[in-house]
Structure formats: structure tokens, C-alpha cells
Amino acid sequence: MRLDPVADRGRWTQGSIGTTVQGRQIVRWDSRSRGATRHVTVVSGMHGNERITYPLAEAFLHTARPADMNVTIIPSLNPDGWAANTRRNARGVDLNRNFPWLWSSSKDSSGPGPGSELETQAAMNLLQTERPDLVIWIHQPLDYVAPVADCPIQYAELWANAAGIQVRPAVSHLGGGESWSARTAGLRSMLVEVTSWSTAQSLVDDHVRGFTALLPHVSVHRSK
């Protein structure tokens, strides 16, 4: 899958949240519904070897969205890793161990310090500035949906029931993006782990159903 500019697909616009060490743009897609009162952000492609994540993010462009909801999609937070088909970024850092929530230097791929990487900084700046009502982090291959911290379990159940996978509570990762966004930034956050390493269209379809089932039920996060 190429990281080419995306044409307008049902009023979606394209921008950037920053650049990588190798100079690639970290693309964002926005639905920008007029008069929207709710906002959901999807962060995908953190690990470049999780090859279903970009196609799945792209498939989300074609789903039905509530009229009062803005959706922001980061199809590949790690475009350097995507280009190289590697888990880590171009500096050899696992971005999902680099966020400043219980960051640990004992992890050999966690980076020289918490939030040291340009990609991590771009994601943090986006989420802290825009403060969406829900952040959805997409990974593979562990086969579950997890509500993190105070995210309503019903959100995970809606997605899991539609996609046909399990709900796993109480997930946290040292330096993890979903753990930072939930426990440090105070944003409702959900982790989706697509089943297996497959890139089969049937798996994309499963999680498009999950995404579509969830969106109408996302409420404004009053405490944000």
C-alpha cells in the first residue's frame, strides 16, 4: 500500500501532523463535518510491519459517519517503518514504547528518553491540542479490543461484537500510546488488535463493521 496523497473521498481533507527523520509527512485525514459536536481520532500504522493497519485506515474513509461527528485518521504514524516494513522507526525506536507514561530505559527499543521521537511528539501534540472524545489505536495481531482506563467498556463491546473478537480489560503498556493518551492526557482511549498477521479483506471488513457500530454511540467527553 502506497502512502500517496488521498483525493477527496466524501468530503475528507488531507493534511499533516509533522515529518519523520527521513522527511516523510505523517498524514492526517479529516472528515470535518459542518457543525460537528463530537470528535473521534484513529491512530494507525504505529508499527510498520503491521501491514493491515494502513488498508484498514483507508477503508474507514468509506464508512458511514454520524452527521455531528468529525473523524480524524492518522493512517501511518510511522511512515518510515512502513516503507521499510519494520516495526520500529528509522532510528530503531519502537514508538509504542516511547510515550511518556511509565517509560522505561530498560526496554532496548524505547528510545533515548520519553517522547524522544518526532512521530511520538507529533501524535502527542495532535491529541493534546484537539482533545478528541475518543482515541482509537489500531494494531495487530493479538485479537482483542481493550478499553483503557476510564473508557466505557460498552465502546469495546460494540466494536468486538461487530468484528467478532474478544474484549480484554485492564490493558496497559509501558511507554504505550494508548496508555499515555488515557492515563496521562486524560482522553478516552481504546486499543484494537486485529486478529493475526493476515491482511485479508475479510479482516478489514470485520473491523470496518466494528468502527461503524461504535461511532454513533461515542458521546462528548465532558471532563476533557
PDB file of all heavy atoms in Angstrom, residues 15-40:
ATOM      1  N   GLY A  15      -4.085  16.492   5.430  1.00  0.00           N
ATOM      2  CA  GLY A  15      -3.080  17.403   5.969  1.00  0.00           C
ATOM      3  C   GLY A  15      -1.933  16.607   6.535  1.00  0.00           C
ATOM      4  O   GLY A  15      -1.726  15.438   6.183  1.00  0.00           O
ATOM      5  N   SER A  16      -1.185  17.214   7.437  1.00  0.00           N
ATOM      6  CA  SER A  16      -0.028  16.570   8.036  1.00  0.00           C
ATOM      7  C   SER A  16       0.085  16.990   9.495  1.00  0.00           C
ATOM      8  O   SER A  16      -0.251  18.122   9.845  1.00  0.00           O
ATOM      9  CB  SER A  16       1.244  16.968   7.283  1.00  0.00           C
ATOM     10  OG  SER A  16       2.407  16.498   7.948  1.00  0.00           O
ATOM     11  N   ILE A  17       0.553  16.064  10.338  1.00  0.00           N
ATOM     12  CA  ILE A  17       0.795  16.421  11.741  1.00  0.00           C
ATOM     13  C   ILE A  17       2.284  16.563  12.030  1.00  0.00           C
ATOM     14  O   ILE A  17       2.668  16.850  13.162  1.00  0.00           O
ATOM     15  CB  ILE A  17       0.164  15.401  12.712  1.00  0.00           C
ATOM     16  CG1 ILE A  17       0.827  14.015  12.592  1.00  0.00           C
ATOM     17  CG2 ILE A  17      -1.345  15.308  12.481  1.00  0.00           C
ATOM     18  CD1 ILE A  17       0.421  13.044  13.704  1.00  0.00           C
ATOM     19  N   GLY A  18       3.139  16.372  11.019  1.00  0.00           N
ATOM     20  CA  GLY A  18       4.578  16.503  11.221  1.00  0.00           C
ATOM     21  C   GLY A  18       5.336  15.687  10.209  1.00  0.00           C
ATOM     22  O   GLY A  18       4.762  15.120   9.270  1.00  0.00           O
ATOM     23  N   THR A  19       6.649  15.621  10.393  1.00  0.00           N
ATOM     24  CA  THR A  19       7.515  14.858   9.496  1.00  0.00           C
ATOM     25  C   THR A  19       8.390  13.904  10.297  1.00  0.00           C
ATOM     26  O   THR A  19       8.610  14.087  11.493  1.00  0.00           O
ATOM     27  CB  THR A  19       8.423  15.793   8.667  1.00  0.00           C
ATOM     28  OG1 THR A  19       9.192  16.614   9.561  1.00  0.00           O
ATOM     29  CG2 THR A  19       7.613  16.667   7.739  1.00  0.00           C
ATOM     30  N   THR A  20       8.900  12.897   9.616  1.00  0.00           N
ATOM     31  CA  THR A  20       9.764  11.900  10.230  1.00  0.00           C
ATOM     32  C   THR A  20      11.227  12.292  10.057  1.00  0.00           C
ATOM     33  O   THR A  20      11.556  13.263   9.377  1.00  0.00           O
ATOM     34  CB  THR A  20       9.541  10.530   9.572  1.00  0.00           C
ATOM     35  OG1 THR A  20      10.014  10.598   8.216  1.00  0.00           O
ATOM     36  CG2 THR A  20       8.067  10.149   9.575  1.00  0.00           C
ATOM     37  N   VAL A  21      12.110  11.493  10.638  1.00  0.00           N
ATOM     38  CA  VAL A  21      13.550  11.715  10.495  1.00  0.00           C
ATOM     39  C   VAL A  21      13.956  11.674   9.024  1.00  0.00           C
ATOM     40  O   VAL A  21      14.807  12.447   8.577  1.00  0.00           O
ATOM     41  CB  VAL A  21      14.342  10.653  11.286  1.00  0.00           C
ATOM     42  CG1 VAL A  21      15.826  10.739  10.988  1.00  0.00           C
ATOM     43  CG2 VAL A  21      14.097  10.809  12.778  1.00  0.00           C
ATOM     44  N   GLN A  22      13.312  10.813   8.260  1.00  0.00           N
ATOM     45  CA  GLN A  22      13.633  10.687   6.842  1.00  0.00           C
ATOM     46  C   GLN A  22      12.846  11.656   5.967  1.00  0.00           C
ATOM     47  O   GLN A  22      12.929  11.586   4.740  1.00  0.00           O
ATOM     48  CB  GLN A  22      13.403   9.243   6.379  1.00  0.00           C
ATOM     49  CG  GLN A  22      14.368   8.260   7.045  1.00  0.00           C
ATOM     50  CD  GLN A  22      14.205   6.839   6.554  1.00  0.00           C
ATOM     51  OE1 GLN A  22      13.184   6.470   5.978  1.00  0.00           O
ATOM     52  NE2 GLN A  22      15.226   6.021   6.784  1.00  0.00           N
ATOM     53  N   GLY A  23      12.105  12.552   6.593  1.00  0.00           N
ATOM     54  CA  GLY A  23      11.432  13.610   5.857  1.00  0.00           C
ATOM     55  C   GLY A  23      10.068  13.263   5.296  1.00  0.00           C
ATOM     56  O   GLY A  23       9.491  14.053   4.535  1.00  0.00           O
ATOM     57  N   ARG A  24       9.512  12.119   5.679  1.00  0.00           N
ATOM     58  CA  ARG A  24       8.175  11.768   5.210  1.00  0.00           C
ATOM     59  C   ARG A  24       7.115  12.506   6.031  1.00  0.00           C
ATOM     60  O   ARG A  24       7.270  12.692   7.237  1.00  0.00           O
ATOM     61  CB  ARG A  24       7.947  10.259   5.297  1.00  0.00           C
ATOM     62  CG  ARG A  24       8.774   9.464   4.314  1.00  0.00           C
ATOM     63  CD  ARG A  24       8.439   7.980   4.389  1.00  0.00           C
ATOM     64  NE  ARG A  24       9.129   7.231   3.328  1.00  0.00           N
ATOM     65  CZ  ARG A  24      10.337   6.716   3.429  1.00  0.00           C
ATOM     66  NH1 ARG A  24      11.015   6.852   4.584  1.00  0.00           N
ATOM     67  NH2 ARG A  24      10.887   6.070   2.439  1.00  0.00           N
ATOM     68  N   GLN A  25       6.032  12.890   5.366  1.00  0.00           N
ATOM     69  CA  GLN A  25       4.917  13.503   6.058  1.00  0.00           C
ATOM     70  C   GLN A  25       4.124  12.458   6.845  1.00  0.00           C
ATOM     71  O   GLN A  25       3.903  11.343   6.362  1.00  0.00           O
ATOM     72  CB  GLN A  25       3.984  14.199   5.066  1.00  0.00           C
ATOM     73  CG  GLN A  25       4.603  15.377   4.346  1.00  0.00           C
ATOM     74  CD  GLN A  25       4.934  16.511   5.308  1.00  0.00           C
ATOM     75  OE1 GLN A  25       4.121  16.871   6.167  1.00  0.00           O
ATOM     76  NE2 GLN A  25       6.129  17.074   5.172  1.00  0.00           N
ATOM     77  N   ILE A  26       3.710  12.817   8.049  1.00  0.00           N
ATOM     78  CA  ILE A  26       2.795  11.982   8.832  1.00  0.00           C
ATOM     79  C   ILE A  26       1.398  12.498   8.521  1.00  0.00           C
ATOM     80  O   ILE A  26       0.946  13.517   9.036  1.00  0.00           O
ATOM     81  CB  ILE A  26       3.101  12.065  10.336  1.00  0.00           C
ATOM     82  CG1 ILE A  26       4.568  11.689  10.594  1.00  0.00           C
ATOM     83  CG2 ILE A  26       2.167  11.133  11.119  1.00  0.00           C
ATOM     84  CD1 ILE A  26       5.014  11.934  12.018  1.00  0.00           C
ATOM     85  N   VAL A  27       0.728  11.795   7.629  1.00  0.00           N
ATOM     86  CA  VAL A  27      -0.517  12.270   7.027  1.00  0.00           C
ATOM     87  C   VAL A  27      -1.681  12.168   8.002  1.00  0.00           C
ATOM     88  O   VAL A  27      -1.761  11.242   8.813  1.00  0.00           O
ATOM     89  CB  VAL A  27      -0.801  11.457   5.747  1.00  0.00           C
ATOM     90  CG1 VAL A  27      -2.183  11.758   5.178  1.00  0.00           C
ATOM     91  CG2 VAL A  27       0.272  11.741   4.699  1.00  0.00           C
ATOM     92  N   ARG A  28      -2.590  13.120   7.886  1.00  0.00           N
ATOM     93  CA  ARG A  28      -3.869  13.063   8.595  1.00  0.00           C
ATOM     94  C   ARG A  28      -4.994  13.246   7.587  1.00  0.00           C
ATOM     95  O   ARG A  28      -4.871  14.029   6.639  1.00  0.00           O
ATOM     96  CB  ARG A  28      -3.976  14.136   9.680  1.00  0.00           C
ATOM     97  CG  ARG A  28      -3.967  15.560   9.174  1.00  0.00           C
ATOM     98  CD  ARG A  28      -4.089  16.580  10.283  1.00  0.00           C
ATOM     99  NE  ARG A  28      -5.395  16.556  10.951  1.00  0.00           N
ATOM    100  CZ  ARG A  28      -5.662  17.206  12.079  1.00  0.00           C
ATOM    101  NH1 ARG A  28      -4.719  17.932  12.677  1.00  0.00           N
ATOM    102  NH2 ARG A  28      -6.857  17.140  12.624  1.00  0.00           N
ATOM    103  N   TRP A  29      -6.080  12.514   7.802  1.00  0.00           N
ATOM    104  CA  TRP A  29      -7.299  12.680   7.021  1.00  0.00           C
ATOM    105  C   TRP A  29      -8.392  13.151   7.968  1.00  0.00           C
ATOM    106  O   TRP A  29      -8.533  12.636   9.087  1.00  0.00           O
ATOM    107  CB  TRP A  29      -7.713  11.359   6.372  1.00  0.00           C
ATOM    108  CG  TRP A  29      -6.708  10.805   5.415  1.00  0.00           C
ATOM    109  CD1 TRP A  29      -5.840  11.499   4.622  1.00  0.00           C
ATOM    110  CD2 TRP A  29      -6.466   9.416   5.152  1.00  0.00           C
ATOM    111  NE1 TRP A  29      -5.083  10.633   3.876  1.00  0.00           N
ATOM    112  CE2 TRP A  29      -5.438   9.357   4.175  1.00  0.00           C
ATOM    113  CE3 TRP A  29      -7.014   8.227   5.628  1.00  0.00           C
ATOM    114  CZ2 TRP A  29      -4.953   8.140   3.674  1.00  0.00           C
ATOM    115  CZ3 TRP A  29      -6.542   7.026   5.132  1.00  0.00           C
ATOM    116  CH2 TRP A  29      -5.525   6.978   4.167  1.00  0.00           C
ATOM    117  N   ASP A  30      -9.186  14.116   7.544  1.00  0.00           N
ATOM    118  CA  ASP A  30     -10.237  14.698   8.387  1.00  0.00           C
ATOM    119  C   ASP A  30     -11.549  14.762   7.635  1.00  0.00           C
ATOM    120  O   ASP A  30     -11.602  15.228   6.486  1.00  0.00           O
ATOM    121  CB  ASP A  30      -9.846  16.112   8.830  1.00  0.00           C
ATOM    122  CG  ASP A  30      -8.652  16.121   9.758  1.00  0.00           C
ATOM    123  OD1 ASP A  30      -8.846  15.864  10.953  1.00  0.00           O
ATOM    124  OD2 ASP A  30      -7.527  16.375   9.277  1.00  0.00           O
ATOM    125  N   SER A  31     -12.636  14.355   8.316  1.00  0.00           N
ATOM    126  CA  SER A  31     -13.957  14.409   7.692  1.00  0.00           C
ATOM    127  C   SER A  31     -14.561  15.807   7.778  1.00  0.00           C
ATOM    128  O   SER A  31     -15.320  16.209   6.915  1.00  0.00           O
ATOM    129  CB  SER A  31     -14.900  13.396   8.345  1.00  0.00           C
ATOM    130  OG  SER A  31     -15.103  13.716   9.715  1.00  0.00           O
ATOM    131  N   ARG A  32     -14.257  16.542   8.858  1.00  0.00           N
ATOM    132  CA  ARG A  32     -14.669  17.938   9.007  1.00  0.00           C
ATOM    133  C   ARG A  32     -16.153  18.169   8.719  1.00  0.00           C
ATOM    134  O   ARG A  32     -16.527  18.955   7.869  1.00  0.00           O
ATOM    135  CB  ARG A  32     -13.833  18.843   8.103  1.00  0.00           C
ATOM    136  CG  ARG A  32     -12.343  18.834   8.428  1.00  0.00           C
ATOM    137  CD  ARG A  32     -12.070  19.331   9.824  1.00  0.00           C
ATOM    138  NE  ARG A  32     -10.647  19.373  10.123  1.00  0.00           N
ATOM    139  CZ  ARG A  32     -10.143  19.402  11.344  1.00  0.00           C
ATOM    140  NH1 ARG A  32     -10.951  19.353  12.394  1.00  0.00           N
ATOM    141  NH2 ARG A  32      -8.850  19.464  11.532  1.00  0.00           N
ATOM    142  N   SER A  33     -17.010  17.460   9.451  1.00  0.00           N
ATOM    143  CA  SER A  33     -18.442  17.667   9.298  1.00  0.00           C
ATOM    144  C   SER A  33     -18.844  19.037   9.833  1.00  0.00           C
ATOM    145  O   SER A  33     -18.419  19.447  10.917  1.00  0.00           O
ATOM    146  CB  SER A  33     -19.209  16.574  10.055  1.00  0.00           C
ATOM    147  OG  SER A  33     -18.855  15.298   9.566  1.00  0.00           O
ATOM    148  N   ARG A  34     -19.659  19.749   9.086  1.00  0.00           N
ATOM    149  CA  ARG A  34     -20.085  21.080   9.493  1.00  0.00           C
ATOM    150  C   ARG A  34     -20.961  20.993  10.746  1.00  0.00           C
ATOM    151  O   ARG A  34     -21.881  20.189  10.820  1.00  0.00           O
ATOM    152  CB  ARG A  34     -20.864  21.748   8.358  1.00  0.00           C
ATOM    153  CG  ARG A  34     -21.322  23.150   8.654  1.00  0.00           C
ATOM    154  CD  ARG A  34     -21.956  23.807   7.444  1.00  0.00           C
ATOM    155  NE  ARG A  34     -20.997  23.941   6.350  1.00  0.00           N
ATOM    156  CZ  ARG A  34     -21.324  24.427   5.147  1.00  0.00           C
ATOM    157  NH1 ARG A  34     -22.579  24.781   4.889  1.00  0.00           N
ATOM    158  NH2 ARG A  34     -20.400  24.525   4.217  1.00  0.00           N
ATOM    159  N   GLY A  35     -20.663  21.808  11.733  1.00  0.00           N
ATOM    160  CA  GLY A  35     -21.453  21.847  12.956  1.00  0.00           C
ATOM    161  C   GLY A  35     -21.254  20.649  13.859  1.00  0.00           C
ATOM    162  O   GLY A  35     -22.094  20.366  14.725  1.00  0.00           O
ATOM    163  N   ALA A  36     -20.149  19.931  13.688  1.00  0.00           N
ATOM    164  CA  ALA A  36     -19.915  18.729  14.491  1.00  0.00           C
ATOM    165  C   ALA A  36     -19.715  19.070  15.957  1.00  0.00           C
ATOM    166  O   ALA A  36     -19.114  20.088  16.310  1.00  0.00           O
ATOM    167  CB  ALA A  36     -18.703  17.983  13.966  1.00  0.00           C
ATOM    168  N   THR A  37     -20.223  18.214  16.825  1.00  0.00           N
ATOM    169  CA  THR A  37     -20.056  18.381  18.270  1.00  0.00           C
ATOM    170  C   THR A  37     -19.245  17.255  18.890  1.00  0.00           C
ATOM    171  O   THR A  37     -18.903  17.321  20.071  1.00  0.00           O
ATOM    172  CB  THR A  37     -21.429  18.422  18.958  1.00  0.00           C
ATOM    173  OG1 THR A  37     -22.153  17.222  18.654  1.00  0.00           O
ATOM    174  CG2 THR A  37     -22.231  19.625  18.478  1.00  0.00           C
ATOM    175  N   ARG A  38     -18.948  16.214  18.103  1.00  0.00           N
ATOM    176  CA  ARG A  38     -18.171  15.075  18.603  1.00  0.00           C
ATOM    177  C   ARG A  38     -16.969  14.856  17.683  1.00  0.00           C
ATOM    178  O   ARG A  38     -17.022  15.177  16.504  1.00  0.00           O
ATOM    179  CB  ARG A  38     -19.027  13.804  18.651  1.00  0.00           C
ATOM    180  CG  ARG A  38     -20.206  13.903  19.595  1.00  0.00           C
ATOM    181  CD  ARG A  38     -21.022  12.615  19.591  1.00  0.00           C
ATOM    182  NE  ARG A  38     -21.777  12.436  18.360  1.00  0.00           N
ATOM    183  CZ  ARG A  38     -22.342  11.284  17.967  1.00  0.00           C
ATOM    184  NH1 ARG A  38     -22.187  10.202  18.722  1.00  0.00           N
ATOM    185  NH2 ARG A  38     -23.018  11.201  16.846  1.00  0.00           N
ATOM    186  N   HIS A  39     -15.898  14.285  18.261  1.00  0.00           N
ATOM    187  CA  HIS A  39     -14.658  14.115  17.504  1.00  0.00           C
ATOM    188  C   HIS A  39     -14.005  12.795  17.905  1.00  0.00           C
ATOM    189  O   HIS A  39     -13.770  12.547  19.091  1.00  0.00           O
ATOM    190  CB  HIS A  39     -13.714  15.289  17.793  1.00  0.00           C
ATOM    191  CG  HIS A  39     -12.456  15.282  16.991  1.00  0.00           C
ATOM    192  ND1 HIS A  39     -11.388  16.111  17.280  1.00  0.00           N
ATOM    193  CD2 HIS A  39     -12.072  14.548  15.904  1.00  0.00           C
ATOM    194  CE1 HIS A  39     -10.416  15.907  16.401  1.00  0.00           C
ATOM    195  NE2 HIS A  39     -10.801  14.955  15.570  1.00  0.00           N
ATOM    196  N   VAL A  40     -13.719  11.956  16.932  1.00  0.00           N
ATOM    197  CA  VAL A  40     -13.018  10.691  17.131  1.00  0.00           C
ATOM    198  C   VAL A  40     -11.734  10.718  16.320  1.00  0.00           C
ATOM    199  O   VAL A  40     -11.739  11.123  15.154  1.00  0.00           O
ATOM    200  CB  VAL A  40     -13.890   9.494  16.707  1.00  0.00           C
ATOM    201  CG1 VAL A  40     -13.078   8.197  16.676  1.00  0.00           C
ATOM    202  CG2 VAL A  40     -15.086   9.342  17.641  1.00  0.00           C
TER     203      VAL A  40
END
